[in-house]
Amino acid sequence: DRIGIANGYFLAGAGNALYVVDSAGTETAKTPTSQYTDGAGLTWVAFASSPAGPLAAAKAGEKGLIFIGVVDSTDGSLDYFALAAELPDGETIETISTYLGTSIIIGTSRGVRVGILDGSTITYGPLIDTGQAVQALEPEDSFVFFGWPSFDSTSSGIGRLDLSTFTVTAKP
């Protein structure tokens, strides 16, 4: 359903299963614990790199979830994925991107959020409500551009977040 590369790992999501695929094409299941994958229709939607390990975003019913891959310090293999953040009920994740290894930008079903990466946890700020899903993100310089499918009744557009200026913590 979704493929991507994060922290040098080739990741593939198929239904509720998450795999790491090696250079020989062999996949190894790294699906998180069943409390996140059973019966909720979990779908993997995006992958991104972070200093602590690869990030994998999913939606399950009305939930948005971000998992972080835990890397084995002895051999560099990816051991498992653990929950790093969960959005409020009714807000799902469409895409993610990271910025300078310190921030995560989350495109959601309702707008955009900026999160702070702190080891294996993510603390995200308030919703920047666009009134619609944000499905594309592109960090450039101190800005993050995002897709705005229906800016008004006749136009699509591009929004821009300025990550050099914050109104409150984690809200540019």
Side-chain angles (χ1 to χ4, degrees), residues 5-17:
I5 295 176
N7 290 70
Y9 298 97
F10 178 43
L11 304 173
N16 67 354

Side-chain angles (χ1 to χ4, degrees), residues 52-152:
L55 300 171
K59 46 179 143 181
E62 293 295 313
K63 290 196 172 294
L65 307 164
I66 302 174
F67 296 88
I68 188 164
V70 177
V71 179
D72 185 317
S73 61
T74 59
D75 65 6
S77 66
L78 196 53
D79 280 345
Y80 61 92
F81 278 81
L83 186 65
E86 182 175 336
L87 295 183
D89 284 354
E91 187 178 0
T92 59
I93 298 172
E94 301 294 322
T95 189
I96 59 174
S97 184
T98 53
Y99 178 75
L100 297 178
T102 58
S103 301
I104 180 171
I105 316 305
I106 308 165
T108 80
S109 57
R110 297 182 51 209
V112 183
R113 290 184 185 266
V114 175
I116 308 301
L117 297 168
D118 185 16
S120 62
T121 61
I122 296 169
T123 305
Y124 57 82
L127 176 69
I128 300 168
D129 193 346
T130 62
Q132 58 196 284
V134 169
Q135 299 171 329
L137 300 166
E138 178 58 34
E140 293 289 335
D141 193 27
S142 64
F143 302 104
V144 175
F145 296 89
F146 61 92
W148 211 324
S150 299
F151 177 72
D152 59 28

